[in-house]
């Protein structure tokens, strides 16, 4: 976690990192990095810090996985550029999200950010046309349905990575992504890129949408801060939070976690320093950068963070999305039983896990390894 921070945070923690490197169980470290697909990025940083103390087996594993990741990242980058070009040729404005282009921009190499699929932002009204424009390239809609809640999934007949056509980047917004898409401008390769502050806001929203679980989004945010930090006194995300108040709670909670975990200063992102409302504080406390716990409970905590950060008027949508799921989202074998019974069992199972996540105190690694601020810029007013 200390190696994941901003350059300033890593410099400040250099002595502590060196002391911890003398106690590392390298096999366990590799396992943790592999679980989060961070071997190339964090493994290389740790090798540089450890020097001769790192065993040859760890160095060989990092080298092998970095080579494979660079090869796969280059292929993903080519596919992403081809998709973006096809959409532009069809007159569809689009911006690739996350993935190899972000990895090259923030980390210098498309292989430094492993991706299983290709995420592209388009306007909501362009979803159908975008899907049709990619059919000649072999990508087709996974299922014929109405507008998706978040994105439209396209699968490839030859087994290439899926394409996810997003019309928004977070559950609790319908206008930010459209505004960000309108502000995007082509790069040197002709592919549109988000405006820098829009990109940072998107990173924070991805982080919140994933329930503050894992290190991948925090590392990206730290790298963004190293590359784009503005002068003191300029609040990078204040205009976005003001224009889209429904996102303020998610942005502020994410900023608090990033401040504690990787050193992106929350007071340089958003205004104020009042203690947040109870729900946002509880969401911050659920941050799980090392993904500790059973997968089902991690999923429940991600769900709980989603609910805790829901703005007023979105609680019903949260319940429909996370609790009252459709028949196709129920466990396998449901078709052989009553859908009503299976859905009731699912609701009880989700509520039980949510209750456990809510009441169980847990000392998160973020609090143990970093300096958690006593105050941060989450709004204190409004519904809990």
């Amino acid at each position: 976690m200390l190696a994941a921070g901003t350059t300033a945070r890593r410099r400040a923690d250099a002595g502590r990192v060196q002391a911890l490197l003398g106690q590392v169980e390298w096999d366990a470290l590799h396992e943790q990095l592999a679980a989060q697909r961070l071997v190339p990025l964090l493994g290389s940083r740790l090798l540089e810090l450890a020097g001769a103390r790192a065993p040859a087996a760890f160095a060989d594993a990092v080298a092998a996985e970095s080579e494979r990741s660079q090869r796969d990242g280059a292929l993903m980058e080519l596919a992403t550029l081809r998709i973006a070009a096809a959409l532009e040729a069809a007159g569809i404005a689009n911006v690739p999200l996350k993935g190899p282009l972000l990895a090259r921009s923030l980390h210098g190499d498309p292989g430094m950010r492993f991706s299983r699929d290709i995420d592209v932002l388009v306007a909501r009204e362009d979803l159908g046309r975008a899907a049709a424009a990619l059919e000649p390239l072999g990508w087709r809609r996974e299922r014929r349905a109405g507008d998706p809640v978040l994105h439209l999934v396209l699968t490839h007949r030859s087994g290439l990575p899926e394409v996810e056509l997003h019309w928004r980047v977070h559950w609790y917004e319908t206008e930010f992504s459209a505004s960000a898409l309108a502000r995007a401008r082509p790069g040197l390769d002709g592919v549109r890129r988000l405006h820098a502050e829009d990109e940072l806001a998107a990173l924070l929203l991805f982080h919140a949408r994933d329930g503050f679980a894992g290190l991948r989004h925090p590392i990206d945010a730290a790298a963004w801060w190293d590359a784009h930090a503005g002068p003191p006194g300029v609040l990078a995300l204040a205009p976005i939070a003001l224009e889209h108040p429904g996102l303020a709670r998610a942005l502020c909670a994410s900023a608090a976690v990033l401040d504690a975990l990787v050193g992106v200063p929350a007071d340089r992102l958003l205004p104020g320093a009042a203690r947040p409302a109870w729900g946002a504080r509880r969401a911050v406390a659920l941050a799980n950068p090392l993904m500790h716990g059973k997968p089902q409970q991690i999923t429940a905590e991600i769900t709980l963070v989603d609910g805790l950060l829901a703005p007023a008027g979105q609680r019903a949508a949260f319940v429909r999305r996370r609790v009252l799921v459709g028949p196709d989202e129920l466990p396998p074998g449901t078709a052989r039983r009553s859908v009503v019974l299976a859905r009731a069992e699912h609701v009880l199972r989700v509520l039980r896990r949510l209750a456990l996540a809510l009441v169980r105190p847990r000392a998160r690694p973020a609090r143990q390894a970093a300096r958690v601020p006593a105050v941060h810029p989450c709004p204190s007013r409004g519904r809990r």
Side-chain angles (χ1 to χ4, degrees):
M1 287 191 295
L2 296 176
T6 61
T7 298
R9 171 63 65 85
R10 297 203 305 272
R11 287 173 179 164
D13 288 331
R16 190 175 178 197
V17 170
Q18 290 298 327
L20 290 171
L21 283 170
Q23 307 169 39
V24 166
E25 295 181 13
W26 292 95
D27 289 342
L29 174 60
H30 178 264
E31 182 179 345
Q32 287 272 345
L33 294 176
Q36 295 204 43
R37 306 190 299 278
L38 290 172
V39 172
L41 182 54
L42 283 192
S44 59
R45 287 186 187 178
L46 291 168
L47 279 176
E48 184 178 350
L49 291 167
R53 286 178 290 177
F58 182 83
D60 291 344
V62 172
E65 294 189 41
S66 296
E67 182 179 357
R68 181 167 55 252
S69 183
Q70 288 166 353
R71 182 176 62 251
D72 294 344
L75 292 174
M76 289 286 283
E77 185 176 38
L78 288 173
T80 302
L81 293 173
R82 182 69 183 91
I83 289 167
L87 293 174
E88 289 287 349
I92 301 168
N94 69 94
V95 175
L97 302 171
K98 302 183 283 186
L101 301 189
L102 182 68
R104 183 179 289 282
S105 172
L106 296 182
H107 306 299
D109 190 314
M112 290 295 103
R113 196 183 192 284
F114 176 84
S115 300
R116 288 197 177 99
D117 48 43
I118 299 170
D119 300 274
V120 183
L121 178 66
V122 299
R124 185 172 188 171
E125 60 271 19
D126 286 337
L127 282 170
R129 290 201 306 129
L134 297 181
E135 281 197 11
L137 301 183
W139 278 280
R140 287 177 169 78
R141 296 179 69 156
E142 190 176 55
R143 63 170 70 94
R144 297 291 173 180
D147 281 357
V149 175
L150 188 68
H151 57 245
L152 182 67
V153 177
L154 309 181
T155 57
H156 199 278
R157 60 194 175 200
S158 299
L160 292 178
E162 292 180 346
V163 172
E164 294 185 351
L165 295 174
H166 288 254
W167 66 273
R168 60 178 175 176
V169 300
H170 196 281
W171 311 111
Y172 301 130
E173 62 99 355
T174 57
E175 298 176 354
F176 164 69
S177 290
S179 299
L181 182 60
R183 287 189 288 264
R185 293 294 179 266
L188 296 177
D189 53 12
V191 176
R192 300 179 198 236
R193 303 295 200 280
L194 293 177
H195 186 270
E197 282 71 22
D198 289 332
E199 183 175 69
L200 178 61
L203 290 175
L204 267 65
L205 294 175
F206 294 144
H207 187 215
R209 204 181 76 206
D210 285 356
F212 308 137
L215 281 169
R216 286 162 58 82
H217 296 312
I219 292 172
D220 290 340
W224 187 98
W225 188 255
D226 286 340
H228 300 290
V234 176
L235 300 175
L237 298 182
I240 293 174
L242 184 63
E243 183 181 358
H244 307 284
L247 295 178
R249 186 175 296 182
L251 289 172
C252 289
S254 183
V257 176
L258 294 174
D259 192 328
L261 187 62
V262 295
V264 176
D267 60 1
R268 298 272 300 277
L269 301 184
L270 293 152
R275 283 197 63 83
W278 176 88
R281 292 202 308 272
R282 194 67 185 91
V284 170
L286 286 167
N288 190 3
L290 293 187
M291 306 287 282
H292 285 317
K294 296 181 179 179
Q296 300 91 332
Q297 193 57 34
I298 292 174
T299 299
E301 292 173 1
I302 292 172
T303 298
L304 181 57
V305 169
D306 183 4
L308 290 169
L309 297 180
Q314 290 285 340
R315 302 299 167 81
F318 159 75
V319 172
R320 289 194 301 270
R321 181 175 63 252
R322 295 290 195 173
V323 182
L324 302 178
V325 299
D328 58 333
E329 299 178 78
L330 294 171
T334 296
R336 296 190 297 269
R337 300 183 299 144
S338 166
V339 172
V340 174
L341 177 59
R343 182 175 285 156
E345 291 174 346
H346 171 79
V347 170
L348 291 174
R349 187 163 52 247
V350 170
L351 292 177
R352 183 172 64 251
R353 289 173 181 158
L354 291 179
L356 179 61
L358 188 61
V359 303
R360 182 174 58 190
R362 187 140 88 189
R364 288 299 194 196
R367 292 183 175 275
Q368 299 168 353
R371 294 163 290 278
V372 177
V375 294
H376 58 76
C378 287
S380 59
R381 297 189 305 273
R383 294 177 59 186
R384 286 171 37 163

